Amino acid sequence: EISACLVGSEMCIRDSPRDVLVSYYYSMKYNNTIHQQKGLDVRNRLQTTSLDDYVLEILPRFKKVFEDYITQVYGKENVYFAKFEELINDSASWLKNASEHCNLKCSDDLLQRISEGISANLKIEKKHKHHRKASPGEFKEKLKDETIQILNAEFKVILEKLNYPV
């Protein structure tokens, strides 16, 4: 998970880069499949590295990814942009809009079943699972205020462009 999923011409971005960084920490520390020694080294180091320290360490890389999304994908013709919060908070509407954008025809019943599947098991944190916790704004619970202030300053232009509060 970098910062967004891009399937065909559909794009869904997690609540700001801030939640993505938190999610990435947990993914690397607990549940990413390790295929190389480098990944194992990162996992071992994260056992003694705080969330805040790691988020600040990987900040430049993720900032670049978001900047690239903004300049290369966001607002482009044939790209459907949706926020992660829309998927989580109103998955039925999100699915309907994404389906229409892709010219897919789905019955209301199918959309409802898929929507229920999306939101069925998202409330409890499971840090050892790939889908750990789908809770927009989680960075506010997990990061120190000082870290959030740094992220807000670094991501200010990106957050404003994507209509997230700074």
Side-chain angles (χ1 to χ4, degrees):
E1 172 186 24
I2 295 291
S3 61
C5 59
L6 183 59
V7 181
S9 60
E10 175 187 335
M11 181 174 171
C12 181
I13 288 188
R14 288 285 303 259
D15 167 278
S16 70
R18 301 166 294 198
D19 273 345
V20 172
L21 294 174
V22 170
S23 181
Y24 191 77
Y25 170 83
Y26 282 97
S27 184
M28 293 302 294
K29 184 173 181 176
Y30 295 110
N31 63 43
N32 261 9
T33 303
I34 305 294
H35 296 288
Q36 299 175 357
Q37 184 62 42
K38 181 180 176 184
L40 185 57
D41 293 344
V42 170
R43 173 156 301 152
N44 287 336
R45 188 169 57 82
L46 289 180
Q47 302 313 307
T48 58
T49 302
S50 75
L51 170 61
D52 291 88
D53 288 343
Y54 190 65
V55 159
L56 294 175
E57 176 185 326
I58 63 174
L59 168 63
R61 185 177 89 192
F62 280 81
K63 181 179 178 184
K64 171 82 170 98
V65 169
F66 269 90
E67 289 170 342
D68 289 347
Y69 277 128
I70 294 295
T71 59
Q72 297 174 23
V73 180
Y74 183 78
K76 304 295 185 205
E77 188 176 346
N78 297 322
V79 173
Y80 174 74
F81 177 81
K83 291 183 176 181
F84 181 71
E85 296 83 356
E86 295 167 1
L87 170 65
I88 297 303
N89 296 331
D90 189 3
S91 49
S93 293
W94 182 88
L95 283 164
K96 183 176 186 287
N97 294 336
S99 297
E100 288 173 359
H101 172 78
C102 296
N103 292 320
L104 298 174
K105 304 293 181 210
C106 297
S107 70
D108 289 340
D109 181 57
L110 178 60
L111 289 174
Q112 183 63 36
R113 287 196 329 251
I114 293 170
S115 174
E116 289 170 3
I118 290 171
S119 59
N121 196 10
L122 301 175
K123 304 299 181 217
I124 300 170
E125 182 172 18
K126 299 168 286 245
K127 66 182 178 183
H128 293 283
K129 300 288 185 183
H130 177 69
H131 295 287
R132 180 183 59 82
K133 185 179 179 186
S135 177
E138 181 184 25
F139 71 93
K140 296 175 210 167
E141 301 168 18
K142 300 283 186 181
L143 297 174
K144 295 177 183 172
D145 288 340
E146 307 84 64
T147 304
I148 293 171
Q149 289 174 5
I150 293 168
L151 295 180
N152 287 346
E154 287 292 319
F155 290 132
K156 185 177 190 311
V157 172
I158 295 165
L159 294 170
E160 288 172 348
K161 180 75 171 178
L162 299 175
N163 296 316
Y164 285 109
V166 178

